Amino acid sequence: MNKVKINRRDFLKTSALASIPLTLSGIPLFATANPNSSFINGVNDKILVLVQLQGGNDGLATIFDSRQYANLQAVRNNIIVPESSIINFHNEYGFHSAMQGMKDVWEMESLGIVQNVGYPNQNRSHFRSTDIWNSASGAEEFISTGWIGRFYDLNYSDYPNGYPNADNPHPFALTMGKIVSETCQGVNANYSLSLLDPFNPGTALVSAEGDIPANCFGDALSFVNDTVAQTNAFASVISEAADAGNNLSAKWDNLDTELAKKLKNVARLISGGLQTKIYIVQLGGFDTHDNQVVDGETTTGLHSELLKELSDAICAFQDDLNLLSVSERVVGMTYSEFGRRIRSNGALGTDHGTAAPLFLFGSCIKNQVLGDHPEIDTQVGIDEGVPMQYDFRDIYGTILKDWLGLEENNVLNVLYPDFQALPLFKESCLMVNTTTHNLLQDPEINVYPNPTVDKVQISYFSKDHQSTVRVFDSAGGFLMSTSVYGSNMSQHQLMIDLSTYKPGSYFIHVRNRDFSKTKKVVKI
Amino acid sequence: MPYLDEYAGAWTTTQARHLLKRTTFGPSAQMVDTSVSLGLQGTIDTLFAPLPMPDPPLKSIPDGTGNNQLNDPGAMYGETWVNAVPFPNINPPMLRNRVLRSRSKSLYSWTVLQMHYSDISIREKLTLFWHNHFVVADGTIAHREYLYYTLLRRFATGNFKELTKEITIDTGMLFYLSGAENTNNAPNENYSRELLELFTVGKGDLAAPGDYTNFTEDDVIQMAKVLTGWRVPPVSNQNTLTAQFVNGNHTPGSKQLSHRFNNAVISENGDQEFRDLIDVIFQQDECSRFIMRKLYRWFVHYDISDDIEMNVIEPLAAILRNNNYEIAPALQVLMKSEHFYNATACMIKSPMDLMMSVTRGLGIQPPQGDLEDEYDHAYNHYIMSTDLEQALFYHPDVAGWKAYYQKPQFDKLWINNLLLPKRHEFCRLMVEGGIFSYNDVNYRVTSLVPVLEIVKNIPDANDPNVLVSSLAEIMFNYPITENQLTSLKDVLIPGLPDFEWTVEYLDYLSDPSNQALAESVENKLKSLFSVMVRMSEFQIM
C-alpha cells in the first residue's frame, strides 16, 4: 500500500494556523482563535488520558439509580448486586460496591458521568465497534485514522519525518502498553509511542540504511528505519522525565494492579515535565458473557474486580495529580466499545449491548451526572440494550474544543459535521462562558399513545427552533430520521408512523442544540 | 497481468527461499538447496505431502522434588504426559498447579520444536494459521490445548468446512466462547456471533439495522439456539476432554435463518444439528472469499486491492468451492502463481518468523541428546515470541493477532519503539548468547550460530565483498547497497583494508585446527552476524 500524504502546501493554504508562531517552550499553539479554551501563558498545556475498557463494560452494573433498582432486579436477578451494597453518591445515584475509589473522586469534585453514550446503529462486534470508537467514525463509514491521529494530522501530517525536532522534542502520545493505540493513527503513521518502563524505554541499534525503493518493500523498510530513529530520539526525553518526576499519593501503596502501575507512570511523567498531551491506558476483560459475578455472591467476581481496579487506580491517580499540583492540566476519559444487554443471560453474564455510561475525571471536570438513568422495563426484550442518549463524538469534540483548544470548525472536520458541544468542564477552567453549554437539564418528551398500534405523537419544549428526531430499534439500529422546525422557546410536536415496523420496543431520540434525550415507545 | 498463471521464470535460490520463508519458518540454507533441486512443482508436492502426526510432547524436567525437578504422577522424565490423568489428584493444590504448568510449558516448547523439525512442509505454518483463525486462548489445562492444536494440525492442509465442524465442539472452544454455557434456558450468543463474524462468512457492510450483509443479528440468536446443549464434563471427570450433548439443554424445534441464508430452516437434529448448520453457512459463497483473503494475508501480503480481489481472491475462492472447501488445491495454485513470485516481498516478520529466521535460518538446531536442553531452547524461543506479542495459546482476543486484520497498520503492528529494541535484543542474543528476563524470570541463551559452517559454504568467502553480499542474500529479501556493504565490512574488520580479512580467513582455512585462528575468525563473523540480524532489512521477509 502506498502512503497517502496530505500535501503540506495545500494544507497551509487552507489553515488559519499556518502563520501562528511557535512559543518559547516550543509547543505550537493550537487554535488560538478559540476564546473558550484555557491557556497558561498562551500555551495549551492540557493533557488527556484515555482509559480504554476492552470488551464492553456493563454500565447497568456500574452505576445504579435507586428508582430503577426493583425493575432491574426483575430482569437480571442472577447477577445484580444487593441494593444495600450500592454506594450512594448523589441523589438517587449509586456505584457498584467495588467502586469506593470512584466515590472518593466524586467527593474530590473531580468526576463527571455521562449516561448512555453510544452511536446510531450500534455495532455489536467488539472489533468493529472498537474501530468505530477509536476512529470516531459513524457506524456506516470506514475510517482508517484515529480521532487523535486526525487531530495531530491538522498540524503535523509529515510525522514521523523529521520528528522529534526542536519544536516538538517530546512524543505526541504514549500508549502505556506494548501496542500503540489506534486512536492515534494518522495518515502517515501512528502518533503514539509504546511505553512499559519509563526509566528504560529501550533503544535500537542504528545500522547503515539502504535505498528506499518506491514500493511496499521501501514502505516497510522506511517504517522500520523511522522506528529506529524515533525510538532512540524519544528514549532520552522519556527517561529524563521519569527521573525528574515523582509520585506523592499514599493511595498507590497498596495498589499492585496493572492499571494502577500504568497510571502511576503517567502521573510521574507529567510531573517530570514530559509535554506529551495524550496518554492511553487499557484495561481488558470486560467481555463478561459468563461468570460476571460469583453465583450467590454477586458483589464478587470478574466484573467487580475490574471495577475495583478501575476505581482504585483512577482515585490514586487523581489524588496524585492533586498532590503534584498538576491536576488542573489533566483530564481523563474512560470508554468501552459498547454496554451490555439489559437482561442477564443464564451463565451469570451479559451479552453485547448498546450504550453505556462513560467517566470523565479531573479537577476541571464538572462534577455531575449528565443524562438520564436508563429506564428499565420489566418486559424488556432479550436483545435490548440501553438506548443511546449522547453520541460519543460529542464528548470527543467537546474535549478537543474545550480542553485541547481546537477550533470548532476543525472539530467538525476531525469528527463529524453534526457535532454539538456538551457541558463537561467546570466554568472556572474555561476562559469564557459559552451559550452552547446551557443545556436544559430535564426536558420532558411526551410520547402518546404509548404503547401504540401505529402512530405516536411526540412533543417537547425546545429553546432551539430546530431538532432532529430519530427512531432506533431495540438493538440500537437506526430506522428513520426527521427534522422538526418550530419557534424558539416553544412546544414542538410531530407525529411518527410506526405502522411498518414489527411489534416491539423502539426508541425516539430527540437532539437539538439544547439537549439529547431518548424515550422508549412500545409498538403492540 | 497473469496473476494466477503458473510461474514460468527461473527457479533459483531466490524463488525457493521466498516460497519457503512464507510456507515454513526460517528456512535453512539446506532446505533452500533442496527446493532448488526439487523445482517448483517438486517443492509444492513436498510442502503438501501428508505426514504422520509428530510424537507427543514429553516431560523434560527431571524427576524428583528439588527446585528444578518435578514429580508428575502421570509421566516420568522422557515420557509423554498426554495419556495421563488431565487433572491429577495431587495435594496441596500448589503442587498440582506446578505439574499442570510444567505440562503446559512442555506443550509450548514442543509446539516450537515442531516448527524447527518440520522440513519442507507447510503443515506447521498452516497449523499456526488455524490457531490464529479459530482462536482458543483460555489458559486451560495442557491436555485441552494439546488436543485442540492436534486437531488444527490434523486439518492443517485439509477441509475448512469439516474443521469448522470439529472445532465447534472442541472442549477448549466450548469453554473459550461460552458454548458450554449455551443452553435452552440461557442462550449464549458468544460462539454463534464469532462463528459468523470471524470464522466463516465475516461481517459485511451494514445493509439495514441488524443486517451485516452476510448475516443478521437474528441469525446470531437463531444459531445460538442450534448450538445449545453442548457441555464439557468437569475437569476432575475422566471424560472431561470430550464434549457431551445433553438433549435436555438443547432448544427443541426448527430454527429459522434469515434471507442471508436463503431463509434456510435448521430442523431439529440433536447432536448433529450443528453440522447441518455449518453445511448451510458454507453454502454462502462469501465463506470461500473470506478465508481466501485471510490466507492471502497470511502467505502473501496484507493489502487486498480491488485488483487483487478480482484477479486473485475471487478465482481462488472458486477453486476452494469447487473442491468442497479442501484448501490445498487453491493454495497450491497461489503458491505456483506468477503473482506469488513477482509481487514485491515486503512482509514484516511475525515474532515467530523472526525468531525462526535467526535460529534455523542461520543453521541453529535445538540441542540434541539432552531433553531438558532441547525443550529449554524451544521454550526460550516461545517466551521471546510471547514478549514480542505473539504468544502461542494466548492470543489477545478471539480475533487473533492484530497484524493480520487491523487496518491500516497490519504487519507494522509487530514493530514499534518498544518492540523493536526487544526484537533487536533477541536476535543479538541468538548470535552472541547471554541472558534475558521476562516477568522477572531470567533465561539463558547459548550462542549456537555455526558462523564458520555457514561461511564455509560460501564460495570465495575470503573476499569480504563476496562474504557480506552472500550473507545479505541469505538473510535479506533484496541486495544491500554499496554503502551498507562498506559499513558492514567495517564491522567485520574495523578500520582495516579488505585484504586483512582475506589473509586471516585463508590462514584459518589452511589451518582450521588452530584454536586461536578459529576463534579470531569466529568472533569477527559473530560481530558481523550480530549487526546484520539487527538491520531493518532483517525485519522483513
Side-chain angles (χ1 to χ4, degrees):
Chain A
M1 192 183 71
N2 288 322
K3 286 182 184 177
V4 183
K5 286 197 178 179
I6 284 184
N7 183 317
R8 185 136 186 97
R9 246 176 319 175
D10 286 352
F11 170 69
L12 292 177
K13 266 188 280 184
T14 56
S15 168
L17 308 180
S19 60
I20 292 171
L22 300 170
T23 60
L24 285 179
S25 68
I27 303 182
L29 300 176
F30 264 111
T32 49
N34 183 1
N36 298 336
S37 64
S38 163
F39 296 100
I40 294 172
N41 302 326
V43 177
N44 181 324
D45 62 350
K46 302 304 189 194
I47 289 167
L48 171 66
V49 181
L50 298 172
V51 182
Q52 183 185 3
L53 311 179
Q54 296 163 314
N57 180 37
D58 186 8
L60 290 171
T62 305
I63 295 167
F64 294 85
D65 178 336
S66 57
R67 295 166 299 186
Q68 299 293 331
Y69 184 85
N71 284 4
L72 191 62
Q73 188 174 34
V75 295
R76 32 167 71 194
N77 187 41
N78 57 339
I79 63 158
I80 197 168
V81 296
E83 192 166 14
S84 59
S85 74
I86 293 171
I87 305 171
N88 175 264
F89 68 95
H90 177 58
N91 298 340
E92 43 287 301
Y93 294 117
F95 290 121
H96 184 285
S97 59
M99 297 176 69
Q100 181 60 44
M102 215 55 108
K103 162 95 184 255
D104 294 344
V105 183
W106 177 271
E107 301 287 321
M108 294 177 206
E109 298 194 1
S110 297
L111 186 69
I113 294 162
V114 187
Q115 296 268 34
N116 316 317
V117 185
Y119 53 86
N121 267 332
Q122 175 67 49
N123 196 305
R124 285 183 173 172
S125 153
H126 290 292
F127 315 106
R128 177 69 187 128
S129 195
T130 301
D131 284 348
I132 288 169
W133 276 84
N134 285 339
S135 64
S137 72
E140 298 81 17
E141 39 174 7
F142 291 83
I143 298 180
S144 59
T145 53
W147 69 284
I148 298 292
R150 289 200 297 286
F151 165 68
Y152 280 125
D153 276 344
L154 288 173
N155 280 15
Y156 306 101
S157 63
D158 280 352
Y159 184 85
N161 300 325
Y163 292 85
N165 52 42
D167 296 335
N168 301 280
H170 293 185
F172 288 103
L174 282 175
T175 306
M176 308 306 280
K178 279 191 186 171
I179 298 208
V180 292
S181 165
E182 272 104 35
T183 55
C184 299
Q185 183 64 43
V187 279
N188 282 338
N190 193 300
Y191 285 93
S192 176
L193 301 190
S194 280
L195 186 66
L196 284 180
D197 179 359
F199 295 97
N200 184 18
T203 53
L205 180 76
V206 179
S207 43
E209 293 183 8
D211 293 336
I212 305 293
N215 57 26
C216 70
F217 181 73
D219 179 48
L221 197 57
S222 65
F223 170 74
V224 182
N225 286 340
D226 287 348
T227 307
V228 171
Q230 299 247 305
T231 299
N232 297 336
F234 283 123
S236 57
V237 293
I238 292 171
S239 58
E240 279 162 21
D243 288 335
N246 206 353
N247 292 109
L248 296 175
S249 174
K251 291 179 191 288
W252 296 121
D253 293 352
N254 298 316
L255 291 185
D256 198 29
T257 62
E258 287 303 308
L259 186 67
K261 287 180 201 164
K262 288 174 182 176
L263 285 176
K264 189 177 176 183
N265 283 334
V266 173
R268 185 177 192 99
L269 290 169
I270 292 171
S271 75
L274 199 70
Q275 293 161 18
T276 298
K277 293 184 80 64
I278 311 289
Y279 293 87
I280 299 101
V281 296
Q282 288 148 333
L283 177 60
F286 284 89
D287 192 23
T288 48
H289 286 281
D290 47 47
N291 299 308
Q292 178 168 336
V293 300
V294 173
D295 198 6
E297 293 174 63
T298 55
T299 59
T300 62
L302 284 179
H303 193 237
S304 162
E305 286 164 25
L306 289 168
L307 291 177
K308 182 168 171 49
E309 176 165 0
L310 176 70
S311 304
D312 288 352
I314 288 178
C315 181
F317 182 64
Q318 192 58 44
D319 187 49
D320 210 15
L321 296 178
N322 291 339
L323 295 169
L324 292 163
S325 305
V326 293
S327 64
E328 76 285 355
R329 287 177 48 214
V330 185
V331 300
M333 182 190 88
T334 67
Y335 72 103
S336 194
E337 63 263 38
F338 37 63
R340 307 194 76 82
R341 294 299 163 81
I342 295 172
R343 271 190 196 277
S344 57
N345 65 28
L348 299 172
T350 47
D351 295 324
H352 304 178
T354 314
L358 166 159
F359 292 105
L360 293 156
F361 53 93
S363 62
C364 275
I365 293 295
K366 200 177 250 189
N367 217 203
Q368 65 177 347
V369 180
L370 183 65
D372 309 315
H373 200 81
E375 272 181 52
I376 308 299
D377 176 351
T378 56
Q379 301 306 310
V380 64
I382 192 159
D383 67 337
E384 204 166 307
V386 172
M388 173 199 102
Q389 181 174 7
Y390 295 107
D391 193 302
F392 73 108
R393 289 165 293 185
D394 289 338
I395 296 167
Y396 287 6
T398 306
I399 291 171
L400 289 175
K401 177 173 162 289
D402 286 355
W403 190 246
L404 299 177
L406 192 63
E407 289 171 310
E408 180 146 350
N409 65 331
N410 271 330
V411 174
L412 307 187
N413 291 334
V414 167
L415 293 171
Y416 72 139
D418 292 340
F419 166 68
Q420 284 178 11
L422 297 170
L424 304 178
F425 294 92
K426 286 177 183 152
E427 306 291 332
S428 57
C429 287
L430 303 172
M431 295 282 281
V432 180
N433 287 344
T434 155
T435 51
T436 56
H437 286 167
N438 295 331
L439 270 80
L440 279 180
Q441 273 307 302
D442 274 300
E444 199 54 47
I445 299 177
N446 295 306
V447 176
Y448 180 84
N450 189 10
T452 180
V453 285
D454 47 15
K455 292 177 179 167
V456 282
Q457 176 165 300
I458 293 160
S459 63
Y460 52 88
F461 181 80
S462 179
K463 288 165 72 177
D464 192 5
H465 69 285
Q466 183 191 347
S467 309
T468 303
V469 176
R470 288 180 284 189
V471 182
F472 295 103
D473 66 17
S474 59
F478 169 76
L479 297 174
M480 60 161 288
S481 169
T482 179
S483 292
V484 183
Y485 297 91
S487 308
N488 290 334
M489 306 295 286
S490 72
Q491 198 74 14
H492 290 201
Q493 59 182 8
L494 78 155
M495 192 75 90
I496 289 182
D497 186 356
L498 301 174
S499 57
T500 56
Y501 303 136
K502 61 183 182 185
S505 301
Y506 294 88
F507 297 104
I508 311 291
H509 184 260
V510 182
R511 182 176 187 266
N512 57 35
R513 288 226 319 265
D514 293 317
F515 66 83
S516 278
K517 191 130 175 129
T518 304
K519 189 84 176 177
K520 178 168 168 172
V521 55
V522 175
K523 188 192 172 200
I524 47 179
Chain B
M1 288 277 279
Y3 299 100
L4 293 181
D5 289 357
E6 193 162 326
Y7 172 72
W11 187 252
T12 70
T13 53
T14 306
Q15 291 76 25
R17 188 175 285 117
H18 173 63
L19 175 60
L20 293 180
K21 276 177 183 171
R22 299 299 176 90
T23 53
T24 73
F25 295 93
S28 64
Q30 190 191 2
M31 287 164 69
V32 174
D33 290 345
T34 307
S35 170
V36 169
S37 56
L38 284 171
L40 172 56
Q41 185 60 49
T43 307
I44 296 286
D45 291 344
T46 312
L47 280 168
F48 284 86
L51 295 172
M53 284 291 123
D55 292 336
L58 306 176
K59 183 189 167 199
S60 65
I61 302 172
D63 302 315
T65 53
N67 241 352
N68 298 315
Q69 301 172 325
L70 187 76
N71 280 331
D72 183 338
M76 304 285 279
Y77 176 77
E79 293 177 355
T80 185
W81 45 265
V82 304
N83 303 315
V85 177
F87 196 70
N89 187 12
I90 309 175
N91 277 306
M94 213 180 71
L95 212 56
R96 172 168 57 209
N97 289 341
R98 253 197 90 200
V99 168
L100 293 179
R101 271 203 306 275
S102 82
R103 290 175 178 178
S104 293
K105 186 175 160 181
S106 156
L107 175 71
Y108 305 155
S109 308
W110 174 81
T111 304
V112 173
L113 287 173
Q114 303 318 308
M115 296 177 188
H116 273 285
Y117 295 148
S118 71
D119 200 40
I120 297 182
S121 166
I122 198 171
R123 188 173 70 179
E124 294 306 313
K125 198 95 185 214
L126 272 169
T127 306
L128 191 65
F129 169 82
W130 293 119
H131 181 31
N132 190 51
H133 183 71
F134 292 114
V135 170
V136 172
D138 223 6
T140 176
I141 55 169
H143 277 77
R144 247 185 257 299
E145 292 175 320
Y146 171 70
L147 291 175
Y148 154 80
Y149 209 76
T150 300
L151 173 66
L152 302 181
R153 182 177 282 122
R154 203 149 54 80
F155 278 88
T157 55
N159 192 291
F160 174 36
K161 180 160 60 172
E162 296 308 310
L163 174 56
T164 306
K165 291 175 186 173
E166 297 310 315
I167 205 77
T168 299
I169 54 165
D170 173 81
T171 62
M173 183 64 91
L174 284 169
F175 275 127
Y176 182 54
L177 293 182
S178 317
E181 312 258 6
N182 183 15
T183 65
N184 185 33
N185 290 333
N188 188 309
E189 300 165 6
N190 203 0
Y191 186 77
S192 62
R193 182 179 300 280
E194 307 307 8
L195 174 66
L196 291 167
E197 181 180 338
L198 296 176
F199 298 164
T200 57
V201 289
K203 195 166 196 169
D205 293 341
L206 191 73
D211 180 351
Y212 308 113
T213 305
N214 303 331
F215 66 91
T216 68
E217 281 290 335
D218 223 36
D219 289 322
V220 173
I221 293 170
Q222 294 305 314
M223 290 188 188
K225 291 180 185 167
V226 173
L227 296 161
T228 49
W230 290 94
R231 62 184 287 274
V232 181
V235 71
S236 52
N237 185 310
Q238 58 170 348
N239 296 319
T240 188
L241 301 177
T242 311
Q244 284 185 347
F245 182 74
V246 181
N247 207 36
N249 289 343
H250 180 68
T251 303
S254 302
K255 289 88 185 174
Q256 170 80 55
L257 305 186
S258 76
H259 65 296
R260 297 304 185 183
F261 296 95
N262 292 321
N263 300 308
V265 173
I266 308 295
S267 304
E268 172 61 47
N269 195 12
D271 64 352
Q272 296 303 306
E273 202 172 307
F274 77 98
R275 294 180 195 275
D276 300 342
L277 170 67
I278 288 166
D279 284 333
V280 167
I281 295 174
F282 274 76
Q283 283 168 19
Q284 204 185 115
D285 286 356
E286 196 56 28
C287 266
S288 59
R289 296 185 200 103
F290 182 72
I291 199 69
M292 279 320 309
R293 287 185 204 115
K294 212 159 170 183
L295 285 161
Y296 182 86
R297 291 199 161 117
W298 186 259
F299 285 109
V300 186
H301 186 42
Y302 64 80
D303 189 25
I304 298 179
S305 60
D306 292 347
D307 185 41
I308 295 299
E309 177 74 23
M310 189 170 70
N311 294 301
V312 177
I313 302 298
E314 196 57 60
L316 289 176
I319 297 171
L320 186 61
R321 294 195 299 275
N322 292 338
N323 285 280
N324 193 23
Y325 285 95
E326 289 289 335
I327 67 158
L331 280 182
Q332 289 171 359
V333 168
L334 176 64
M335 282 151 195
K336 285 194 287 186
S337 70
E338 283 282 350
H339 177 67
F340 189 80
Y341 297 97
N342 289 339
T344 306
C346 58
M347 186 184 281
I348 290 180
K349 289 175 183 172
S350 71
M352 219 21 112
D353 280 311
L354 181 73
M355 297 322 299
M356 290 297 292
S357 67
V358 75
T359 50
R360 183 165 79 167
L362 297 181
I364 300 179
Q365 278 293 349
Q368 300 299 302
D370 184 317
L371 195 62
E372 194 177 7
D373 282 354
E374 183 188 3
Y375 272 61
D376 280 353
H377 174 85
Y379 194 64
N380 275 349
H381 191 136
Y382 171 80
I383 291 294
M384 288 175 174
S385 183
T386 297
D387 201 13
L388 296 175
E389 287 290 291
Q390 192 182 30
L392 301 191
F393 298 97
Y394 292 89
H395 286 80
D397 57 48
V398 62
W401 295 303
K402 281 189 173 185
Y404 298 102
Y405 70 86
Q406 187 67 56
K407 296 169 191 169
Q409 293 268 77
F410 288 101
D411 56 13
K412 293 193 178 85
L413 284 167
W414 291 128
I415 286 183
N416 61 38
N417 67 300
L418 188 113
L419 296 172
L420 187 60
K422 282 180 189 287
R423 287 167 79 107
H424 279 187
E425 177 62 3
F426 292 154
C427 288
R428 186 192 70 79
L429 282 172
M430 285 298 178
V431 174
E432 297 180 7
I435 288 173
F436 72 101
S437 85
Y438 176 74
N439 279 355
D440 299 326
V441 178
N442 285 337
Y443 299 86
R444 177 176 299 281
V445 181
T446 313
S447 166
L448 296 172
V449 183
V451 287
L452 292 172
E453 290 301 310
I454 296 169
V455 171
K456 229 174 255 176
N457 293 325
I458 298 173
D460 302 322
N462 57 308
D463 178 346
N465 298 294
V466 173
L467 169 71
V468 171
S469 17
S470 301
L471 288 175
E473 197 194 322
I474 293 173
M475 291 193 215
F476 309 145
N477 286 359
Y478 298 103
I480 55 174
T481 61
E482 199 58 37
N483 174 37
Q484 288 175 306
L485 179 69
T486 308
S487 161
L488 286 171
K489 280 194 296 184
D490 197 49
V491 173
L492 183 72
I493 36 169
L496 298 174
D498 287 4
F499 72 84
E500 293 289 351
W501 165 257
T502 308
V503 169
E504 181 158 2
Y505 187 65
L506 289 176
D507 281 354
Y508 157 72
L509 283 185
S510 63
D511 186 11
S513 59
N514 184 324
Q515 199 71 31
L517 266 176
E519 226 166 80
S520 171
V521 168
E522 188 174 11
N523 285 341
K524 288 185 175 63
L525 287 172
K526 277 197 175 171
S527 302
L528 176 66
F529 274 63
S530 175
V531 169
M532 290 183 83
V533 297
R534 285 180 280 169
M535 282 171 67
S536 299
E537 283 78 358
F538 193 71
Q539 301 293 332
I540 304 166
M541 71 177 198

